[in-house]
Amino acid sequence: MKILIVGYFTETSKVNIIRNFPEEWNVVIVPPGEEMLHHIADCQVIIPEHVKIDFNLLSKAKKLKLVQTGAGYDNVDIDACTKLGIWAANASGVNAQAVAEHVMAFILSYYKNILFLDIFMKNKIDQDQLYYTGSELNGKTIGIIGYGAIGKKVARFCKAFDMNVLVHTRNAAVQSDGVIQVVNFDDLVSQSDIVTVHSSLNPQSQKLMNKEVFKKMKNTALFINTARGGIVDEGDLIEALKNKDISGACLDVFEKEPLPIDSELRNLSNVILTPHTAGMPDGIKFHKKRYDFFISNIKCIENGEEPESKLNQLI
């Protein structure tokens, strides 16, 4: 069984990932490009990051049986997989706990000024020069866009901090209860002190968060994105942050990844950035629970069974 993992990984990450797979499997980790094309011809499974899996690429993979993604699958042409008789599956919910915890870490770091205070202490500045603003979470309103596995965990975490929880979702089955209040999109963005995105990237959500939306938010509001960079018009977000249309942002995902070194986001004092690691609590580019799921799904394919969390149906 040959497994092709496509993405940008450090040597340490590669070792950690390969060590997790059965020794008898041939696991190859390469970045997008020519080397990837060399290996795709004879792999049975591909796990793609930072590469578009379209009909053209799939047609070169003559032995491919499974395209396995993490939670998101916006980079995979599911219809093309089906036409070519290739299973497509994601790992829905596997990283929900990790991402929800990351959201809470963002919120607490921002409102408790953790990054600023750490630098203050380590620079040995006189205590008389200390000045900052912050606040408690009790009574704040968080608006959650998208209410899947991650959104539900974020809601429960925030309720434990005595926050008010608003939710906007296209799932009509989700109803207001003792934890959440379901509202329309405009009410959510205008009433929330914190807006956090947990929807998938699709034509409806592409650049959902744009200039018009940021103008509707409170100028004291915090924006959080741990979902997909394409959900946000990054240029509009940068302008909103510079113009103080919103108070700040905490971002783990970006329109272009890795985030360009010259991105203006790196220079804004009201922004906290992490390098798309919210779903990888075990270390850079590694999450054991996620890879355990991948291995289980690959074994299903190896045994002629349907994969879990399948995204298509083969005849």
mmCIF file of all heavy atoms in Angstrom, residues 231-280:
data_model
loop_
_atom_site.group_PDB
_atom_site.id
_atom_site.type_symbol
_atom_site.label_atom_id
_atom_site.label_comp_id
_atom_site.label_asym_id
_atom_site.label_seq_id
_atom_site.Cartn_x
_atom_site.Cartn_y
_atom_site.Cartn_z
ATOM 1 N N ILE A 231 -12.895 32.072 3.339
ATOM 2 C CA ILE A 231 -14.171 32.588 3.847
ATOM 3 C C ILE A 231 -14.083 34.092 4.094
ATOM 4 O O ILE A 231 -15.089 34.781 4.172
ATOM 5 C CB ILE A 231 -14.578 31.831 5.131
ATOM 6 C CG1 ILE A 231 -14.832 30.355 4.807
ATOM 7 C CG2 ILE A 231 -15.807 32.438 5.794
ATOM 8 C CD1 ILE A 231 -15.070 29.482 6.019
ATOM 9 N N VAL A 232 -12.861 34.598 4.171
ATOM 10 C CA VAL A 232 -12.624 36.011 4.498
ATOM 11 C C VAL A 232 -11.986 36.731 3.322
ATOM 12 O O VAL A 232 -11.079 36.192 2.675
ATOM 13 C CB VAL A 232 -11.694 36.129 5.723
ATOM 14 C CG1 VAL A 232 -11.456 37.582 6.090
ATOM 15 C CG2 VAL A 232 -12.273 35.362 6.902
ATOM 16 N N ASP A 233 -12.463 37.933 3.037
ATOM 17 C CA ASP A 233 -11.750 38.817 2.122
ATOM 18 C C ASP A 233 -10.636 39.456 2.940
ATOM 19 O O ASP A 233 -10.883 40.370 3.731
ATOM 20 C CB ASP A 233 -12.686 39.876 1.543
ATOM 21 C CG ASP A 233 -12.018 40.725 0.469
ATOM 22 O OD1 ASP A 233 -10.891 41.201 0.714
ATOM 23 O OD2 ASP A 233 -12.600 40.903 -0.605
ATOM 24 N N GLU A 234 -9.421 38.943 2.788
ATOM 25 C CA GLU A 234 -8.320 39.337 3.663
ATOM 26 C C GLU A 234 -7.992 40.820 3.550
ATOM 27 O O GLU A 234 -7.655 41.471 4.538
ATOM 28 C CB GLU A 234 -7.086 38.488 3.344
ATOM 29 C CG GLU A 234 -6.165 38.294 4.530
ATOM 30 C CD GLU A 234 -5.247 37.113 4.336
ATOM 31 O OE1 GLU A 234 -5.652 35.979 4.664
ATOM 32 O OE2 GLU A 234 -4.117 37.332 3.848
ATOM 33 N N GLY A 235 -8.087 41.358 2.345
ATOM 34 C CA GLY A 235 -7.838 42.783 2.163
ATOM 35 C C GLY A 235 -8.839 43.623 2.934
ATOM 36 O O GLY A 235 -8.470 44.618 3.588
ATOM 37 N N ASP A 236 -10.105 43.227 2.886
ATOM 38 C CA ASP A 236 -11.143 43.948 3.629
ATOM 39 C C ASP A 236 -10.919 43.823 5.135
ATOM 40 O O ASP A 236 -11.146 44.779 5.879
ATOM 41 C CB ASP A 236 -12.525 43.391 3.272
ATOM 42 C CG ASP A 236 -12.978 43.810 1.878
ATOM 43 O OD1 ASP A 236 -12.256 44.574 1.218
ATOM 44 O OD2 ASP A 236 -14.060 43.353 1.449
ATOM 45 N N LEU A 237 -10.484 42.657 5.580
ATOM 46 C CA LEU A 237 -10.219 42.466 7.012
ATOM 47 C C LEU A 237 -9.084 43.370 7.466
ATOM 48 O O LEU A 237 -9.176 44.011 8.525
ATOM 49 C CB LEU A 237 -9.876 41.007 7.297
ATOM 50 C CG LEU A 237 -9.393 40.694 8.728
ATOM 51 C CD1 LEU A 237 -10.458 41.061 9.759
ATOM 52 C CD2 LEU A 237 -9.007 39.219 8.856
ATOM 53 N N ILE A 238 -8.023 43.425 6.692
ATOM 54 C CA ILE A 238 -6.887 44.275 7.058
ATOM 55 C C ILE A 238 -7.326 45.734 7.164
ATOM 56 O O ILE A 238 -6.968 46.440 8.111
ATOM 57 C CB ILE A 238 -5.755 44.111 6.031
ATOM 58 C CG1 ILE A 238 -5.121 42.715 6.181
ATOM 59 C CG2 ILE A 238 -4.691 45.193 6.206
ATOM 60 C CD1 ILE A 238 -4.151 42.358 5.070
ATOM 61 N N GLU A 239 -8.129 46.194 6.216
ATOM 62 C CA GLU A 239 -8.620 47.575 6.260
ATOM 63 C C GLU A 239 -9.503 47.799 7.485
ATOM 64 O O GLU A 239 -9.423 48.848 8.145
ATOM 65 C CB GLU A 239 -9.391 47.900 4.979
ATOM 66 C CG GLU A 239 -8.509 48.073 3.762
ATOM 67 C CD GLU A 239 -7.422 49.116 3.965
ATOM 68 O OE1 GLU A 239 -7.758 50.261 4.346
ATOM 69 O OE2 GLU A 239 -6.233 48.782 3.770
ATOM 70 N N ALA A 240 -10.361 46.836 7.806
ATOM 71 C CA ALA A 240 -11.239 46.961 8.975
ATOM 72 C C ALA A 240 -10.425 47.047 10.257
ATOM 73 O O ALA A 240 -10.774 47.793 11.181
ATOM 74 C CB ALA A 240 -12.201 45.776 9.034
ATOM 75 N N LEU A 241 -9.343 46.305 10.334
ATOM 76 C CA LEU A 241 -8.482 46.324 11.519
ATOM 77 C C LEU A 241 -7.711 47.636 11.611
ATOM 78 O O LEU A 241 -7.568 48.218 12.690
ATOM 79 C CB LEU A 241 -7.504 45.149 11.464
ATOM 80 C CG LEU A 241 -8.121 43.767 11.680
ATOM 81 C CD1 LEU A 241 -7.177 42.671 11.205
ATOM 82 C CD2 LEU A 241 -8.471 43.559 13.155
ATOM 83 N N LYS A 242 -7.223 48.120 10.485
ATOM 84 C CA LYS A 242 -6.453 49.375 10.471
ATOM 85 C C LYS A 242 -7.354 50.578 10.751
ATOM 86 O O LYS A 242 -6.939 51.538 11.412
ATOM 87 C CB LYS A 242 -5.755 49.536 9.124
ATOM 88 C CG LYS A 242 -4.620 48.543 8.916
ATOM 89 C CD LYS A 242 -4.161 48.475 7.469
ATOM 90 C CE LYS A 242 -3.495 49.740 6.998
ATOM 91 N NZ LYS A 242 -2.943 49.571 5.627
ATOM 92 N N ASN A 243 -8.607 50.515 10.263
ATOM 93 C CA ASN A 243 -9.543 51.626 10.446
ATOM 94 C C ASN A 243 -10.316 51.550 11.755
ATOM 95 O O ASN A 243 -11.168 52.404 12.022
ATOM 96 C CB ASN A 243 -10.542 51.669 9.287
ATOM 97 C CG ASN A 243 -9.877 51.944 7.951
ATOM 98 O OD1 ASN A 243 -8.790 52.527 7.899
ATOM 99 N ND2 ASN A 243 -10.514 51.513 6.872
ATOM 100 N N LYS A 244 -10.050 50.477 12.545
ATOM 101 C CA LYS A 244 -10.738 50.260 13.822
ATOM 102 C C LYS A 244 -12.242 50.036 13.641
ATOM 103 O O LYS A 244 -13.046 50.351 14.531
ATOM 104 C CB LYS A 244 -10.493 51.431 14.793
ATOM 105 C CG LYS A 244 -9.030 51.758 15.026
ATOM 106 C CD LYS A 244 -8.293 50.606 15.677
ATOM 107 C CE LYS A 244 -6.831 50.963 15.960
ATOM 108 N NZ LYS A 244 -6.055 49.826 16.529
ATOM 109 N N ASP A 245 -12.637 49.504 12.475
ATOM 110 C CA ASP A 245 -14.035 49.107 12.301
ATOM 111 C C ASP A 245 -14.361 47.948 13.239
ATOM 112 O O ASP A 245 -15.504 47.790 13.674
ATOM 113 C CB ASP A 245 -14.297 48.680 10.857
ATOM 114 C CG ASP A 245 -14.186 49.841 9.880
ATOM 115 O OD1 ASP A 245 -14.516 50.972 10.267
ATOM 116 O OD2 ASP A 245 -13.764 49.605 8.729
ATOM 117 N N ILE A 246 -13.350 47.109 13.494
ATOM 118 C CA ILE A 246 -13.439 46.078 14.531
ATOM 119 C C ILE A 246 -12.207 46.205 15.415
ATOM 120 O O ILE A 246 -11.203 46.825 15.023
ATOM 121 C CB ILE A 246 -13.542 44.656 13.940
ATOM 122 C CG1 ILE A 246 -12.299 44.295 13.126
ATOM 123 C CG2 ILE A 246 -14.807 44.514 13.103
ATOM 124 C CD1 ILE A 246 -12.285 42.854 12.641
ATOM 125 N N SER A 247 -12.279 45.616 16.600
ATOM 126 C CA SER A 247 -11.199 45.805 17.571
ATOM 127 C C SER A 247 -9.978 44.951 17.273
ATOM 128 O O SER A 247 -8.836 45.397 17.453
ATOM 129 C CB SER A 247 -11.719 45.491 18.974
ATOM 130 O OG SER A 247 -10.685 45.621 19.935
ATOM 131 N N GLY A 248 -10.190 43.711 16.836
ATOM 132 C CA GLY A 248 -9.042 42.837 16.625
ATOM 133 C C GLY A 248 -9.436 41.557 15.913
ATOM 134 O O GLY A 248 -10.608 41.310 15.613
ATOM 135 N N ALA A 249 -8.433 40.716 15.659
ATOM 136 C CA ALA A 249 -8.670 39.436 14.999
ATOM 137 C C ALA A 249 -7.677 38.398 15.505
ATOM 138 O O ALA A 249 -6.543 38.725 15.858
ATOM 139 C CB ALA A 249 -8.544 39.574 13.478
ATOM 140 N N CYS A 250 -8.142 37.155 15.535
ATOM 141 C CA CYS A 250 -7.295 36.010 15.851
ATOM 142 C C CYS A 250 -7.453 35.038 14.689
ATOM 143 O O CYS A 250 -8.555 34.566 14.422
ATOM 144 C CB CYS A 250 -7.719 35.341 17.156
ATOM 145 S SG CYS A 250 -7.547 36.398 18.613
ATOM 146 N N LEU A 251 -6.349 34.738 14.002
ATOM 147 C CA LEU A 251 -6.432 33.997 12.749
ATOM 148 C C LEU A 251 -5.486 32.805 12.731
ATOM 149 O O LEU A 251 -4.302 32.934 13.061
ATOM 150 C CB LEU A 251 -6.080 34.922 11.579
ATOM 151 C CG LEU A 251 -6.849 36.242 11.498
ATOM 152 C CD1 LEU A 251 -6.242 37.146 10.438
ATOM 153 C CD2 LEU A 251 -8.320 35.987 11.215
ATOM 154 N N ASP A 252 -6.024 31.663 12.316
ATOM 155 C CA ASP A 252 -5.207 30.457 12.151
ATOM 156 C C ASP A 252 -5.141 30.039 10.686
ATOM 157 O O ASP A 252 -4.325 29.199 10.328
ATOM 158 C CB ASP A 252 -5.796 29.315 12.989
ATOM 159 C CG ASP A 252 -4.946 28.061 12.947
ATOM 160 O OD1 ASP A 252 -3.770 28.141 13.355
ATOM 161 O OD2 ASP A 252 -5.442 27.005 12.516
ATOM 162 N N VAL A 253 -5.981 30.636 9.847
ATOM 163 C CA VAL A 253 -6.041 30.281 8.427
ATOM 164 C C VAL A 253 -6.049 31.555 7.593
ATOM 165 O O VAL A 253 -6.491 32.614 8.049
ATOM 166 C CB VAL A 253 -7.293 29.433 8.120
ATOM 167 C CG1 VAL A 253 -7.167 28.057 8.734
ATOM 168 C CG2 VAL A 253 -8.562 30.118 8.623
ATOM 169 N N PHE A 254 -5.582 31.424 6.332
ATOM 170 C CA PHE A 254 -5.360 32.602 5.511
ATOM 171 C C PHE A 254 -5.690 32.308 4.050
ATOM 172 O O PHE A 254 -5.749 31.149 3.635
ATOM 173 C CB PHE A 254 -3.892 33.043 5.645
ATOM 174 C CG PHE A 254 -3.453 33.133 7.082
ATOM 175 C CD1 PHE A 254 -2.826 32.064 7.695
ATOM 176 C CD2 PHE A 254 -3.726 34.267 7.829
ATOM 177 C CE1 PHE A 254 -2.456 32.114 9.038
ATOM 178 C CE2 PHE A 254 -3.368 34.332 9.166
ATOM 179 C CZ PHE A 254 -2.735 33.253 9.778
ATOM 180 N N GLU A 255 -5.910 33.383 3.279
ATOM 181 C CA GLU A 255 -6.237 33.203 1.862
ATOM 182 C C GLU A 255 -5.124 32.464 1.141
ATOM 183 O O GLU A 255 -5.370 31.596 0.303
ATOM 184 C CB GLU A 255 -6.472 34.561 1.193
ATOM 185 C CG GLU A 255 -7.839 35.156 1.486
ATOM 186 C CD GLU A 255 -8.123 36.389 0.662
ATOM 187 O OE1 GLU A 255 -7.167 37.118 0.302
ATOM 188 O OE2 GLU A 255 -9.307 36.643 0.369
ATOM 189 N N LYS A 256 -3.881 32.792 1.458
ATOM 190 C CA LYS A 256 -2.727 32.102 0.891
ATOM 191 C C LYS A 256 -1.910 31.512 2.025
ATOM 192 O O LYS A 256 -1.576 32.210 2.984
ATOM 193 C CB LYS A 256 -1.870 33.067 0.068
ATOM 194 C CG LYS A 256 -0.694 32.389 -0.625
ATOM 195 C CD LYS A 256 0.099 33.372 -1.468
ATOM 196 C CE LYS A 256 1.277 32.664 -2.149
ATOM 197 N NZ LYS A 256 2.080 33.608 -2.978
ATOM 198 N N GLU A 257 -1.621 30.214 1.923
ATOM 199 C CA GLU A 257 -0.847 29.552 2.968
ATOM 200 C C GLU A 257 0.347 28.840 2.366
ATOM 201 O O GLU A 257 0.231 28.226 1.310
ATOM 202 C CB GLU A 257 -1.738 28.565 3.741
ATOM 203 C CG GLU A 257 -2.852 29.256 4.505
ATOM 204 C CD GLU A 257 -3.696 28.300 5.337
ATOM 205 O OE1 GLU A 257 -3.408 27.078 5.335
ATOM 206 O OE2 GLU A 257 -4.631 28.772 5.988
ATOM 207 N N PRO A 258 1.506 28.915 3.054
ATOM 208 C CA PRO A 258 1.764 29.660 4.287
ATOM 209 C C PRO A 258 1.547 31.160 4.086
ATOM 210 O O PRO A 258 1.673 31.654 2.968
ATOM 211 C CB PRO A 258 3.236 29.357 4.589
ATOM 212 C CG PRO A 258 3.563 28.121 3.808
ATOM 213 C CD PRO A 258 2.705 28.182 2.594
ATOM 214 N N LEU A 259 1.223 31.868 5.165
ATOM 215 C CA LEU A 259 1.000 33.312 5.102
ATOM 216 C C LEU A 259 2.276 33.988 4.590
ATOM 217 O O LEU A 259 3.356 33.775 5.142
ATOM 218 C CB LEU A 259 0.638 33.847 6.485
ATOM 219 C CG LEU A 259 0.347 35.351 6.562
ATOM 220 C CD1 LEU A 259 -0.932 35.693 5.813
ATOM 221 C CD2 LEU A 259 0.244 35.803 8.019
ATOM 222 N N PRO A 260 2.165 34.793 3.530
ATOM 223 C CA PRO A 260 3.356 35.466 2.995
ATOM 224 C C PRO A 260 4.086 36.282 4.065
ATOM 225 O O PRO A 260 3.464 36.888 4.928
ATOM 226 C CB PRO A 260 2.781 36.370 1.899
ATOM 227 C CG PRO A 260 1.521 35.678 1.475
ATOM 228 C CD PRO A 260 0.957 35.062 2.729
ATOM 229 N N ILE A 261 5.404 36.267 3.982
ATOM 230 C CA ILE A 261 6.225 36.978 4.952
ATOM 231 C C ILE A 261 5.902 38.469 4.964
ATOM 232 O O ILE A 261 5.961 39.129 6.006
ATOM 233 C CB ILE A 261 7.725 36.770 4.639
ATOM 234 C CG1 ILE A 261 8.111 35.291 4.821
ATOM 235 C CG2 ILE A 261 8.603 37.652 5.525
ATOM 236 C CD1 ILE A 261 7.936 34.788 6.239
ATOM 237 N N ASP A 262 5.534 39.026 3.808
ATOM 238 C CA ASP A 262 5.260 40.463 3.731
ATOM 239 C C ASP A 262 3.796 40.813 3.977
ATOM 240 O O ASP A 262 3.377 41.957 3.752
ATOM 241 C CB ASP A 262 5.698 41.016 2.372
ATOM 242 C CG ASP A 262 4.956 40.367 1.197
ATOM 243 O OD1 ASP A 262 4.195 39.399 1.436
ATOM 244 O OD2 ASP A 262 5.149 40.821 0.051
ATOM 245 N N SER A 263 2.996 39.870 4.463
ATOM 246 C CA SER A 263 1.587 40.161 4.740
ATOM 247 C C SER A 263 1.461 41.245 5.811
ATOM 248 O O SER A 263 2.154 41.222 6.825
ATOM 249 C CB SER A 263 0.871 38.901 5.231
ATOM 250 O OG SER A 263 -0.424 39.215 5.716
ATOM 251 N N GLU A 264 0.554 42.185 5.571
ATOM 252 C CA GLU A 264 0.321 43.265 6.540
ATOM 253 C C GLU A 264 -0.189 42.733 7.875
ATOM 254 O O GLU A 264 -0.029 43.378 8.907
ATOM 255 C CB GLU A 264 -0.686 44.272 5.974
ATOM 256 C CG GLU A 264 -0.125 45.214 4.931
ATOM 257 C CD GLU A 264 -1.091 46.330 4.608
ATOM 258 O OE1 GLU A 264 -1.164 47.316 5.375
ATOM 259 O OE2 GLU A 264 -1.797 46.202 3.585
ATOM 260 N N LEU A 265 -0.810 41.567 7.851
ATOM 261 C CA LEU A 265 -1.334 40.988 9.098
ATOM 262 C C LEU A 265 -0.224 40.805 10.132
ATOM 263 O O LEU A 265 -0.466 40.908 11.337
ATOM 264 C CB LEU A 265 -2.006 39.641 8.818
ATOM 265 C CG LEU A 265 -3.329 39.685 8.071
ATOM 266 C CD1 LEU A 265 -3.756 38.282 7.647
ATOM 267 C CD2 LEU A 265 -4.422 40.330 8.941
ATOM 268 N N ARG A 266 0.987 40.544 9.676
ATOM 269 C CA ARG A 266 2.112 40.309 10.581
ATOM 270 C C ARG A 266 2.525 41.569 11.344
ATOM 271 O O ARG A 266 3.225 41.475 12.358
ATOM 272 C CB ARG A 266 3.312 39.760 9.806
ATOM 273 C CG ARG A 266 3.078 38.378 9.175
ATOM 274 C CD ARG A 266 4.337 37.918 8.455
ATOM 275 N NE ARG A 266 4.167 36.648 7.746
ATOM 276 C CZ ARG A 266 4.392 35.444 8.281
ATOM 277 N NH1 ARG A 266 4.802 35.361 9.543
ATOM 278 N NH2 ARG A 266 4.238 34.351 7.567
ATOM 279 N N ASN A 267 2.106 42.718 10.853
ATOM 280 C CA ASN A 267 2.536 43.981 11.461
ATOM 281 C C ASN A 267 1.460 44.662 12.303
ATOM 282 O O ASN A 267 1.703 45.740 12.860
ATOM 283 C CB ASN A 267 2.993 44.953 10.357
ATOM 284 C CG ASN A 267 4.144 44.403 9.545
ATOM 285 O OD1 ASN A 267 5.066 43.801 10.092
ATOM 286 N ND2 ASN A 267 4.099 44.604 8.232
ATOM 287 N N LEU A 268 0.285 44.061 12.391
ATOM 288 C CA LEU A 268 -0.811 44.694 13.128
ATOM 289 C C LEU A 268 -0.798 44.255 14.584
ATOM 290 O O LEU A 268 -0.817 43.062 14.886
ATOM 291 C CB LEU A 268 -2.150 44.338 12.477
ATOM 292 C CG LEU A 268 -2.343 44.841 11.040
ATOM 293 C CD1 LEU A 268 -3.675 44.350 10.477
ATOM 294 C CD2 LEU A 268 -2.264 46.351 10.979
ATOM 295 N N SER A 269 -0.808 45.227 15.487
ATOM 296 C CA SER A 269 -0.719 44.932 16.919
ATOM 297 C C SER A 269 -2.020 44.360 17.480
ATOM 298 O O SER A 269 -2.013 43.769 18.569
ATOM 299 C CB SER A 269 -0.344 46.203 17.693
ATOM 300 O OG SER A 269 -1.325 47.217 17.504
ATOM 301 N N ASN A 270 -3.127 44.524 16.760
ATOM 302 C CA ASN A 270 -4.418 44.022 17.250
ATOM 303 C C ASN A 270 -4.779 42.671 16.627
ATOM 304 O O ASN A 270 -5.955 42.301 16.543
ATOM 305 C CB ASN A 270 -5.533 45.049 17.012
ATOM 306 C CG ASN A 270 -5.634 45.477 15.550
ATOM 307 O OD1 ASN A 270 -4.731 45.252 14.763
ATOM 308 N ND2 ASN A 270 -6.742 46.121 15.210
ATOM 309 N N VAL A 271 -3.761 41.931 16.203
ATOM 310 C CA VAL A 271 -3.975 40.621 15.579
ATOM 311 C C VAL A 271 -3.100 39.578 16.251
ATOM 312 O O VAL A 271 -1.929 39.830 16.551
ATOM 313 C CB VAL A 271 -3.638 40.677 14.066
ATOM 314 C CG1 VAL A 271 -3.759 39.292 13.447
ATOM 315 C CG2 VAL A 271 -4.560 41.652 13.356
ATOM 316 N N ILE A 272 -3.684 38.398 16.493
ATOM 317 C CA ILE A 272 -2.929 37.239 16.965
ATOM 318 C C ILE A 272 -2.965 36.196 15.850
ATOM 319 O O ILE A 272 -4.033 35.876 15.327
ATOM 320 C CB ILE A 272 -3.520 36.646 18.258
ATOM 321 C CG1 ILE A 272 -3.460 37.676 19.396
ATOM 322 C CG2 ILE A 272 -2.772 35.379 18.669
ATOM 323 C CD1 ILE A 272 -4.125 37.209 20.686
ATOM 324 N N LEU A 273 -1.791 35.676 15.478
ATOM 325 C CA LEU A 273 -1.673 34.751 14.358
ATOM 326 C C LEU A 273 -1.089 33.418 14.800
ATOM 327 O O LEU A 273 -0.169 33.369 15.615
ATOM 328 C CB LEU A 273 -0.754 35.338 13.277
ATOM 329 C CG LEU A 273 -1.092 36.726 12.733
ATOM 330 C CD1 LEU A 273 0.010 37.203 11.805
ATOM 331 C CD2 LEU A 273 -2.435 36.703 12.006
ATOM 332 N N THR A 274 -1.626 32.331 14.238
ATOM 333 C CA THR A 274 -1.016 31.010 14.374
ATOM 334 C C THR A 274 -1.004 30.365 12.980
ATOM 335 O O THR A 274 -1.846 30.673 12.144
ATOM 336 C CB THR A 274 -1.760 30.109 15.379
ATOM 337 O OG1 THR A 274 -3.155 30.038 15.029
ATOM 338 C CG2 THR A 274 -1.637 30.656 16.794
ATOM 339 N N PRO A 275 -0.052 29.457 12.703
ATOM 340 C CA PRO A 275 0.172 28.960 11.332
ATOM 341 C C PRO A 275 -0.640 27.731 10.950
ATOM 342 O O PRO A 275 -0.084 26.682 10.621
ATOM 343 C CB PRO A 275 1.670 28.663 11.332
ATOM 344 C CG PRO A 275 1.943 28.229 12.738
ATOM 345 C CD PRO A 275 1.037 29.064 13.620
ATOM 346 N N HIS A 276 -1.961 27.829 10.980
ATOM 347 C CA HIS A 276 -2.871 26.732 10.630
ATOM 348 C C HIS A 276 -2.549 25.485 11.453
ATOM 349 O O HIS A 276 -2.377 24.384 10.913
ATOM 350 C CB HIS A 276 -2.807 26.420 9.129
ATOM 351 C CG HIS A 276 -4.047 25.724 8.625
ATOM 352 N ND1 HIS A 276 -4.483 25.778 7.322
ATOM 353 C CD2 HIS A 276 -4.967 24.945 9.273
ATOM 354 C CE1 HIS A 276 -5.586 25.075 7.161
ATOM 355 N NE2 HIS A 276 -5.900 24.556 8.346
ATOM 356 N N THR A 277 -2.477 25.674 12.746
ATOM 357 C CA THR A 277 -2.138 24.577 13.658
ATOM 358 C C THR A 277 -3.247 24.298 14.672
ATOM 359 O O THR A 277 -3.045 23.498 15.584
ATOM 360 C CB THR A 277 -0.843 24.905 14.426
ATOM 361 O OG1 THR A 277 -0.969 26.196 15.039
ATOM 362 C CG2 THR A 277 0.359 24.900 13.496
ATOM 363 N N ALA A 278 -4.410 24.916 14.511
ATOM 364 C CA ALA A 278 -5.485 24.737 15.488
ATOM 365 C C ALA A 278 -5.888 23.276 15.642
ATOM 366 O O ALA A 278 -6.216 22.821 16.739
ATOM 367 C CB ALA A 278 -6.708 25.571 15.100
ATOM 368 N N GLY A 279 -5.861 22.538 14.548
ATOM 369 C CA GLY A 279 -6.278 21.142 14.593
ATOM 370 C C GLY A 279 -5.134 20.172 14.818
ATOM 371 O O GLY A 279 -5.306 18.965 14.623
ATOM 372 N N MET A 280 -3.977 20.668 15.235
ATOM 373 C CA MET A 280 -2.796 19.814 15.396
ATOM 374 C C MET A 280 -2.182 19.990 16.777
ATOM 375 O O MET A 280 -1.100 20.564 16.930
ATOM 376 C CB MET A 280 -1.777 20.131 14.313
ATOM 377 C CG MET A 280 -2.324 19.917 12.917
ATOM 378 S SD MET A 280 -1.177 20.410 11.640
ATOM 379 C CE MET A 280 -2.224 20.290 10.197
#
